[in-house]
Amino acid sequence: MARPWKAPPLLLAILVALVAFSYQAKKKTFVSVHEVSAIELFVPGTLEYVTEAYNKESDDLYNFRILRILKIEKQITEHMELHIRVEMRRTTCFKTEKSNCDVQEGPLYKQIQCYFSVYVVPSFEVYKILKKNCLKCARQRSTTVDFFVLEPAAVA
């Protein structure tokens, strides 16, 4: 039988263990993080969502579209997140137009590079942008080669 003076330390140890276990349960546990292809079943819908969300939030008069996919990573925890890096360019379509338009050239040229972290539930087509960061690519001319410099983009 436990002596009465040993019971409080034992109860304290049990309480500390329970608190530690409950704290661990609240932490995000990464099950997997890996790069995925743009043709995965859930990716096209997510890319369409981030493009529409960017265009809706942007103060620009013209729509942007994804020109190139740089990287897509899928992160699985208690939910699925996609981490997407893309290059987008301003199109010839105004925001009111919803057709597939050419990209702008000349003085209205604008290219940006964006990172989106998106919460995704593919079976219900549920998306939520968790984080977004876009940088403007300033076109600079050299006598021999064109190159781009990344600058923070003004996105409202």
Side-chain angles (χ1 to χ4, degrees):
M1 178 176 216
R3 303 209 176 174
W5 56 272
K6 287 188 176 181
L10 181 60
L11 290 174
L12 182 63
I14 291 171
L15 181 63
V16 168
L18 288 173
V19 169
F21 285 127
S22 67
Y23 176 74
Q24 288 295 326
K26 291 178 184 175
K27 288 174 104 180
K28 266 190 181 178
T29 305
F30 294 108
V31 175
S32 71
V33 177
H34 62 279
E35 198 165 336
V36 294
S37 168
I39 59 172
E40 291 275 338
L41 187 61
F42 49 85
V43 173
T46 308
L47 293 172
E48 186 176 321
Y49 172 79
V50 297
T51 303
E52 287 175 9
Y54 177 85
N55 285 327
K56 190 176 190 178
E57 189 177 315
S58 169
D59 287 336
D60 203 289
L61 295 176
Y62 296 91
N63 280 325
F64 280 73
R65 76 173 196 205
I66 295 174
L67 196 63
R68 187 166 60 146
I69 299 167
L70 303 173
K71 188 175 191 177
I72 303 172
E73 287 181 327
K74 179 170 73 169
Q75 175 181 307
I76 303 292
T77 57
E78 65 273 359
H79 63 272
M80 182 168 76
E81 285 181 30
L82 289 183
H83 301 276
I84 302 167
R85 289 196 184 282
V86 293
E87 285 181 359
M88 300 175 79
R89 284 209 23 212
R90 181 186 283 153
T91 68
T92 55
C93 286
F94 287 103
K95 287 205 174 201
T96 56
E97 300 175 65
K98 295 288 182 188
S99 58
N100 193 10
C101 304
D102 293 331
V103 293
Q104 290 278 6
E105 297 295 338
L108 292 176
Y109 171 91
K110 184 175 181 182
Q111 182 168 326
I112 56 176
Q113 191 174 96
C114 292
Y115 165 81
F116 297 97
S117 177
V118 186
Y119 170 87
V120 180
V121 182
S123 53
F124 295 109
E125 295 183 2
V126 173
Y127 309 99
K128 181 181 179 188
I129 295 178
L130 303 173
K131 192 182 294 184
K132 176 185 74 176
N133 185 23
C134 293
L135 300 172
K136 180 180 172 187
C137 298
R139 183 190 269 186
Q140 296 182 350
R141 289 234 178 241
S142 152
T143 53
T144 56
V145 110
D146 280 348
F147 58 96
F148 297 95
V149 176
L150 295 177
E151 301 171 352
V155 177

